[in-house]
Amino acid sequence: TPTPTPTPTPTFTPPARPTSFSDLLEKIDGVSYWAWYTSSEKVKKSDAAPIEFEILFGPNTPLVTHNTELAVQNVSKLYAGAVTPKKVVAIYYSYTDRAWGQSTFAKYALRPQGNETNNMCQTESTCWGAMAEIDHKGTGILLMSVNDPSKIDKSHTSGPLQAHEFAHTFQGSQFTGTVKEFNSYCCTKTHLPWWMVEGGANFVEAAAMNADSYEGYKIAMAKSYNDYLGQDQTQYTKEWFQKFLQPASPSEWGKPEYQWKIYSGGAIVDEIFVALKGPDTPMKIMRDVATGMTWPEAFEKNFGISWNMALPILSEAMTKMITQK
């Protein structure tokens, strides 16, 4: 009886990597892989920054698994080389502990509004909000609500939420000590497109927490892509994305049509940016803006093309990537 010939295991061939806006549309199939791969390599080869931790739980808040240190370490590896927060204070509170959470946050925040915990935890069943700030000493403050352990979203306990919020403190760190520091402790959106701030953090939670798994990264990024799939998918045209990326006024990003798209759409943009120029790019752009450049100037410096010329290419690329999913 002849011995069966074993079937060879297929060899994975990476798609071609786009390296500029001139070949982005031609090599659009390579965006997701190269955004993940370059991020993965950075996380694996970098050392975690020596960041001090202080993790606080409210007296009645369940001591849930949170993976704060893993998230902070992975994000600091992904952004190694950029200005880094020196300390992290992570404050976890439940619906019952909202007053404790607010008073504790007030001890660290520069200008607390007094209603942060109530806004993010309005009812026991909708207690899922989170936010981040950074003070002028370089301390990142993460304020995170905790739902009932039987209902809590897995992303709140496995690290993505913490990575997202810590990414915001990295963004703010680029402005520390600069002429644009004022209000950047909480609001880097004052100086940058809102989709770059929130979308960048969305991308980081997928890339930093899935450095060992391309499949895991794709599942995490699918949360952003799914925001554009379904019966209304046809409305997300090149023209729609151009208006989204550059509206008539920044205030448009706060309106219902765009307020959640700055997270999902921004994550797709960040994925493209990282695929083109690597994971250092977002922080380089933010540092350039912090130290004196405008957003269009910083964009052109890092990509070698003006923002106005890149905008239609980027918009078309986003429609193509959504169509692929």
Side-chain angles (χ1 to χ4, degrees):
T1 302
T3 302
T5 303
T7 303
T9 303
T11 302
F12 173 71
T13 302
R17 179 183 179 181
T19 56
S20 69
F21 279 90
S22 62
D23 68 355
L24 174 59
L25 297 177
E26 175 191 350
K27 299 177 180 177
I28 199 72
D29 291 348
V31 167
S32 291
Y33 175 79
W34 285 102
W36 169 79
Y37 180 80
T38 56
S39 298
S40 173
E41 289 295 290
K42 182 78 183 292
V43 171
K44 291 175 182 177
K45 293 178 179 179
S46 300
D47 294 324
I51 298 172
E52 182 183 346
F53 285 90
E54 188 173 354
I55 299 174
L56 307 172
F57 273 79
N60 303 295
T61 301
L63 294 173
V64 295
T65 301
H66 50 87
N67 280 321
T68 303
E69 292 193 32
L70 175 64
V72 167
Q73 289 172 356
N74 281 11
V75 174
S76 71
K77 290 177 181 179
L78 181 64
Y79 285 151
V83 181
T84 305
K86 298 177 176 61
K87 179 180 178 179
V88 172
V89 177
I91 304 167
Y92 290 91
Y93 70 96
S94 62
Y95 181 80
T96 307
D97 282 337
R98 289 183 298 173
W100 173 89
Q102 190 64 49
S103 62
T104 304
F105 178 66
K107 293 177 183 178
Y108 296 93
L110 289 174
R111 289 189 285 277
Q113 301 299 307
N115 58 356
E116 284 88 351
T117 57
N118 284 345
N119 287 343
M120 297 191 299
C121 184
Q122 297 183 13
T123 69
E124 288 191 72
S125 60
T126 61
C127 193
W128 52 48
M131 62 174 290
E133 288 189 4
I134 187 159
D135 68 13
H136 298 316
K137 297 179 181 179
T139 298
I141 306 149
L142 315 184
L143 181 63
M144 294 167 286
S145 60
V146 176
N147 209 324
D148 184 296
S150 66
K151 301 175 182 177
I152 195 168
D153 189 301
K154 182 182 177 183
S155 67
H156 288 222
T157 58
S158 56
L161 172 72
Q162 291 76 7
H164 180 110
E165 298 305 333
F166 184 58
H168 284 318
T169 71
F170 245 101
Q171 294 168 351
S173 292
Q174 307 319 301
F175 290 82
T176 301
T178 72
V179 294
K180 295 181 181 177
E181 182 177 36
F182 181 73
N183 271 348
S184 294
Y185 72 96
C186 71
C187 315
T188 48
K189 295 173 191 170
T190 305
H191 309 292
L192 295 158
W194 294 15
W195 47 259
M196 187 170 188
V197 176
E198 295 297 352
N202 257 30
F203 170 79
V204 167
E205 68 178 79
M209 301 310 296
N210 293 281
D212 293 326
S213 171
Y214 181 41
E215 290 305 313
Y217 167 79
K218 289 192 292 184
I219 291 171
M221 280 297 294
K223 296 178 181 179
S224 292
Y225 281 98
N226 288 343
D227 208 10
Y228 300 89
L229 304 179
Q231 294 182 344
D232 60 349
Q233 183 175 350
T234 55
Q235 74 170 295
Y236 300 116
T237 61
K238 175 182 176 181
E239 291 70 28
W240 188 94
F241 279 112
Q242 282 194 228
K243 291 179 180 177
F244 163 71
L245 293 171
Q246 186 166 285
S249 167
S251 63
E252 296 291 315
W253 284 314
K255 295 182 178 180
E257 183 179 10
Y258 295 152
Q259 65 178 343
W260 296 113
K261 296 296 189 287
I262 61 174
Y263 293 82
S264 56
I268 297 170
V269 176
D270 217 53
E271 188 176 45
I272 293 171
F273 286 0
V274 173
L276 293 178
K277 297 297 179 182
D280 294 337
T281 307
M283 288 302 109
K284 285 182 177 179
I285 291 174
M286 292 191 181
R287 186 64 177 173
D288 288 336
V289 170
T291 53
M293 289 188 176
T294 63
W295 152 251
E297 289 170 344
F299 178 89
E300 185 166 359
K301 174 188 174 183
N302 285 274
F303 289 103
I305 182 175
S306 72
W307 169 241
N308 285 337
M309 289 184 65
L311 179 59
I313 301 172
L314 181 59
S315 301
E316 185 173 350
M318 294 178 76
T319 64
K320 288 181 177 293
M321 292 185 69
I322 290 166
T323 303
Q324 291 176 349
K325 302 302 176 181

